[in-house]
Amino acid sequence: MIRVETTPRPDWQAAVEAQGLVWHTADGRPYWHEGACYRFTAAQIAEIEAATAELYRLFLAAGDAILADPALLARFDIPPAFHQPIRDAWAAEPPALNIGRFDLGYDGAGPPKLFEFNCDTPTSLLEAAVVQWDWKEAVMPRAGQFNGLHEALVAKWRDIAPYLPPRVHFAHADEDSGEDAVTVAYLRDTAEAAGIDTAALLMDDIGWDEEAHRFVDGDDASIAALYKLYPWEWLTREAFAPQLAESLAAGTTLWIEPVWKMIWSNKAILPILWQLNPGHPNLLPASFDIPQGDAVAKPLLAREGANVSIRRGGRVVAEAEGAYGDAGYVYQAFYQLPEAAPGCFPVIGSWIVDGAPAGMGIREDGLITGNTARFVPHVIVD
């Protein structure tokens, strides 16, 4: 795995905007960074792909163990009213993309190591699926790329289309950066490519029809199916949480992704994975208790690296601010990321669709990967 300096295309902004990535610059510096790329061998990609498939297997087994043991589920700080809906959805396997991004540490020498699984509100999807492929085709057409994301998404929508209602709503929060809007717009495009009728919606515009006992959009039309890029842990704590629990029990709205994603996206699963699979080559030791050695403290519920701190030699060497942490922390053994360039530590985001490895993207930042991390494309060259 080698970081190579490259020359950005003269019209790179227009090129990525044409692919839908309007959020390509943050605080005056490129978020989409094509001034460099990462080169992998086919053998390295095969190792990442195999680790991704193996981690998915571990998460399936962990889900079974957690939902079979009330004491384990209690560690997740999930409101009790949603414990049974999670169990019901896990057993029923409702139509879903089953999409997620494993964030991995990898130095090209040892096995990939799991940092966390972003499977409830995963972003950087358009960049990984479309934008970096378009860049490769324009700049390095003879190189390969670990990237079957777009085709996998369209195929999965087509697969579940017969089990969906006539229209699927797509919703996100009204946030400043536009990152969520870009991700949801892309997923909506993949659904329409599969022949599904869709409608756009802001989360704030979702209402509750008291007479019909169901969720409705801004035009008072029933929301029969909803893809939402919005954390389940927020939904279960908002004013309409009782109505949400009622809707889940009655099945009046099909939620994509399902409510059981709350357990996989919660950092509490990291110590449980280690307890179930001690010494596994793709896992880092993790605990609910502060360990003796170097470790990373992670809130159970957080986004974009917020409130993460790195402890080495008995002192904090890096930390990120944020509004998370009230639900508690887990502690994961520190993994030394390669410093591919001064101040650039790459984290691999390995994607699954329908539980199968489908592609990857790379973000680079300082020791803690936060919301200012840059997305850097990759190629496969032997």
Side-chain angles (χ1 to χ4, degrees):
M1 183 178 71
I2 302 172
R3 188 181 190 271
V4 181
E5 297 289 327
T6 59
T7 301
R9 293 168 290 179
D11 62 341
W12 72 265
Q13 293 96 333
V16 300
E17 287 175 7
Q19 300 298 321
L21 187 62
V22 294
W23 185 72
H24 54 64
T25 304
D27 298 327
R29 64 194 290 260
Y31 156 69
W32 162 263
H33 182 57
E34 59 180 64
C37 74
Y38 283 86
R39 296 176 60 175
F40 292 80
T41 66
Q44 289 172 333
I45 293 298
E47 186 174 30
I48 292 168
E49 190 170 0
T52 301
E54 172 64 2
L55 287 168
Y56 184 76
R57 184 188 70 82
L58 297 183
F59 269 77
L60 282 175
D64 284 336
I66 292 162
L67 296 181
D69 186 342
L72 288 181
L73 186 57
R75 302 301 301 265
F76 285 70
D77 195 44
I78 296 171
F82 293 91
H83 289 191
Q84 192 57 47
I86 288 173
R87 292 190 182 95
D88 292 343
W90 180 265
E93 298 185 15
L97 295 176
N98 199 1
I99 185 174
R101 191 189 75 231
F102 289 106
D103 284 348
L104 308 174
Y106 184 61
D107 58 9
K113 299 288 189 178
L114 173 71
F115 290 154
E116 58 190 63
F117 190 23
N118 295 280
C119 63
D120 184 19
T121 57
T123 54
S124 77
L125 178 58
L126 176 67
E127 302 91 295
V130 175
V131 180
Q132 69 170 342
W133 179 264
D134 181 70
W135 167 86
K136 183 201 78 70
E137 290 293 278
V139 177
M140 299 184 185
R142 295 186 178 181
Q145 191 174 88
F146 177 26
N147 194 353
L149 266 167
H150 183 80
E151 294 79 8
L153 286 166
V154 175
K156 187 55 186 174
W157 280 119
R158 189 173 290 120
D159 178 50
I160 64 175
Y163 308 98
L164 299 176
R167 172 172 290 183
V168 177
H169 284 77
F170 285 74
H172 61 86
D174 187 11
E175 36 85 42
D176 293 335
S177 72
E179 182 180 18
D180 289 0
V182 164
T183 302
V184 172
Y186 171 60
L187 279 167
R188 186 182 173 199
D189 285 346
T190 61
E192 291 181 345
I196 295 170
D197 184 33
T198 71
L201 184 65
L202 289 175
M203 291 298 298
D204 286 346
D205 291 335
I206 297 175
W208 177 257
D209 186 326
E210 289 286 356
E211 293 185 3
H213 290 272
R214 63 186 307 145
F215 288 107
V216 295
D217 63 17
D219 296 322
D220 290 331
S222 295
I223 300 176
L226 178 70
Y227 176 88
K228 53 86 191 164
L229 192 69
Y230 193 81
W232 271 109
E233 65 264 20
W234 293 2
L235 286 172
T236 59
R237 287 170 171 82
E238 293 182 348
F240 59 83
Q243 289 82 3
L244 176 61
E246 177 185 338
S247 175
L248 288 168
T252 52
T253 295
L254 170 64
W255 295 83
I256 308 173
E257 301 282 83
V259 67
W260 61 255
K261 283 292 188 85
M262 289 184 75
I263 58 173
W264 279 8
S265 63
N266 190 305
K267 308 302 188 301
I269 200 170
L270 297 175
I272 295 171
L273 282 166
W274 185 252
Q275 292 166 14
L276 294 172
N277 310 277
H280 193 284
N282 297 128
L283 298 177
L284 292 166
S287 172
F288 290 104
D289 302 313
I290 300 176
Q292 294 293 326
D294 298 343
V296 180
K298 298 182 174 183
L300 267 62
L301 306 171
R303 299 187 76 187
E304 304 282 7
N307 298 101
V308 168
S309 63
I310 299 175
R311 306 171 181 212
R312 304 200 67 188
R315 66 187 184 92
V316 175
V317 298
E319 58 184 335
E321 296 181 349
Y324 302 97
D326 291 346
Y329 284 78
V330 299
Y331 302 89
Q332 189 179 55
F334 176 75
Y335 176 86
Q336 182 61 64
L337 286 167
E339 190 170 10
C344 295
F345 298 89
V347 170
I348 290 172
S350 188
W351 288 87
I352 58 110
V353 177
D354 194 22
M360 76 178 193
I362 299 172
R363 293 172 299 149
E364 59 179 24
D365 204 344
L367 290 174
I368 297 173
T369 305
N371 61 1
T372 59
R374 300 189 299 186
F375 190 101
V376 183
H378 77 275
V379 292
I380 305 171
V381 180
D382 276 320

